[in-house]
Amino acid sequence: AQAQQLAASGAAQLEQTPAAGTEEQWMPLGMFAVSTSKEDESPLFILQMAVNKKGVINGTLYNLATKSTKPILGAVDPKTQRACWYVGDKPETVAETGIYNLTKDETSVLVHYGQDKTEEYMLVRLPPPAESKTKAASVGLPALSRS
């Protein structure tokens, strides 16, 4: 329930219209392949995330099987540094990890499916693109704005 509340707080902040003349500054957290374990060489999803100075998480999840994208919405708790987010219109399914973990090349995340079921997934950082086009564009993801 706490993870759901934290993720929802980020979504609520994104819905607020910024004051005229102000621009959000986003820091990319990176792009990650999402799989069920370290040994799994076939990722399920590609995850692209960024965070702003207020601790709001925004991004995109690309489903490799269906070739579809969904938005990621969430937040970072400034006291605990816990990062929680959900995908699309499913706020009851929340992923969580420490924000520091998202600076590593590999990390695990817990995904809570409601309050009854939790699974662990692996995030493996993808290398930054060598060319001017983002890796996101090459797999069909909309690039995040970087102001």
Side-chain angles (χ1 to χ4, degrees), residues 13 25 27 31 33 50 72-73 79 89 97 120 133 141 143:
Q13 288 184 56
Q25 292 188 346
M27 181 182 82
M31 288 185 56
I72 294 170
L73 306 164
K79 292 179 184 171
D89 59 355
T97 191
E120 185 175 355
K133 291 184 178 180
L141 294 177

Side-chain angles (χ1 to χ4, degrees), residues 16-33:
Q16 296 174 359
T17 305
T22 63
E23 289 187 30
E24 292 286 337
Q25 292 188 346
W26 293 92
M27 181 182 82
L29 292 170
M31 288 185 56
F32 301 90

